[in-house]
Amino acid sequence: MVDITVPIPDDRTAEFYQFFGMWLAGSLDTSSASASTVKTSSGAIGDDSPTLLPWGSGERDYADAEKLWRKYSTPARAMFSLMIDHPDQHFTGDQIAEAIEIPHGARGVAGALAWPGRHGIKIGRGLPTEYGRDQETGEGYYWIPADRAEVFKKAREKVEGKA
């Protein structure tokens, strides 16, 4: 394996990890991608990218959330638990990193989302989190909508046996 260091603009770190996660999952075809086919954060990358199902509260949503929770690493579970326990609350990457002790601040949080993103893509789902930017400061933030938080809270309880 080769370690590669790439400078990424601070405001595009989360997008980079999303892109990298898709590449790791094999759902990114770089041979046919061009500047006109690449879309960012909320869109698909390339013409043949998988269509991700939106999260809801049906039986399949609960089953998929449970399947994903079983695959999440300890840091990913801690990060998602923070947001599940505080639905609709916005957290900056630095706030998340400090709360659950992820090294490297916001960059570490963005990196911790790469594998959960990859696992989700494999079953046709996106991350449980949403991402936005504060219009005044430009700072990025994450949150889990209340309805999705309930789905993942039940998955967590079933897998870990605790509330």
Side-chain angles (χ1 to χ4, degrees):
M1 285 213 164
V2 176
D3 284 332
I4 298 175
T5 303
V6 180
I8 305 295
D10 286 341
D11 66 333
R12 302 209 46 210
T13 304
E15 185 180 355
F16 169 78
Y17 279 110
Q18 179 184 21
F19 183 85
F20 184 64
M22 291 178 76
W23 177 76
L24 281 175
S27 63
L28 176 63
D29 179 8
T30 56
S31 66
S32 64
S34 69
S36 63
T37 62
V38 175
K39 298 178 186 170
T40 58
S41 61
S42 61
I45 299 175
D47 294 331
D48 58 350
S49 294
T51 301
L52 301 178
L53 294 172
W55 287 103
S57 57
E59 284 184 42
R60 180 168 179 189
D61 299 291
Y62 286 101
D64 286 350
E66 182 184 335
K67 189 181 300 183
L68 289 172
W69 197 265
R70 290 182 189 285
K71 292 180 178 276
Y72 291 158
S73 67
T74 301
R77 285 182 180 189
M79 177 174 42
F80 295 142
S81 285
L82 174 67
M83 290 182 267
I84 287 167
D85 294 337
H86 300 91
D88 291 326
Q89 184 174 334
H90 294 173
F91 293 93
T92 66
D94 287 329
Q95 288 171 327
I96 295 168
E98 185 177 330
I100 62 168
E101 300 177 359
I102 290 180
H104 310 296
R107 287 190 175 110
V109 169
L113 291 169
W115 276 101
R118 180 180 183 194
H119 294 312
I121 287 168
K122 282 191 176 198
I123 65 166
R125 295 292 190 156
L127 290 167
T129 55
E130 295 289 333
Y131 179 79
R133 291 200 171 279
D134 183 288
Q135 295 206 346
E136 290 181 23
T137 66
E139 188 168 28
Y141 56 85
Y142 303 88
W143 79 97
I144 295 180
D147 57 343
R148 197 174 310 158
E150 280 304 312
V151 170
F152 275 84
K153 185 180 253 184
K154 289 186 184 201
R156 177 181 66 185
E157 290 170 2
K158 189 165 184 184
V159 172
E160 296 179 9
K162 59 184 176 184

